[in-house]
Amino acid sequence: MPKPLWMSRRTWIAAWVVLCVAGIAATAALNAFPAPDPQPEKPVSAECAEYIADVEAQLAEAKREGNDDGVLAFSRTRVGADDCHDALLDHFSGDR
């Protein structure tokens, strides 16, 4: 003989209650811990700092001109120039 329908509904309701309570408890536990301290900025070479300032100036100019679509391309082809890739990523990672 099959189980009555009301037993099945009780089981589903009990399962949902358990899942909701577990989710609320997990959220409370995660919110109880403070956010980690931000990493200190790494020192940047003078050349990279100048390059970052140039990129920011170009971004500001594009914004003033109304070309603020979020896409700009920069290239550097000077021989012997510092590799500023990591410095650029570190500097602009907060803008995402």
Side-chain angles (χ1 to χ4, degrees):
M1 178 176 223
K3 291 184 180 180
L5 187 57
W6 61 272
M7 284 294 269
S8 177
R9 285 185 185 159
R10 280 188 181 173
T11 304
W12 279 107
I13 291 172
W16 275 110
V17 167
V18 168
L19 287 174
C20 289
V21 168
I24 291 169
T27 302
L30 289 173
N31 287 336
F33 292 108
D37 293 332
Q39 296 291 331
E41 282 194 32
K42 298 175 186 173
V44 178
S45 70
E47 186 176 0
C48 289
E50 181 182 329
Y51 184 58
I52 289 170
D54 183 45
V55 169
E56 285 183 337
Q58 290 182 36
L59 286 170
E61 182 180 338
K63 195 173 214 177
R64 276 193 309 270
E65 292 175 356
N67 297 333
D68 190 25
D69 60 1
V71 178
L72 287 177
F74 300 95
S75 65
R76 248 184 143 169
T77 57
R78 285 190 357 214
V79 176
D82 285 349
D83 181 17
C84 298
H85 180 260
D86 291 336
L88 281 168
L89 286 178
D90 289 342
H91 182 78
F92 289 105
S93 64
D95 293 344
R96 291 182 192 172

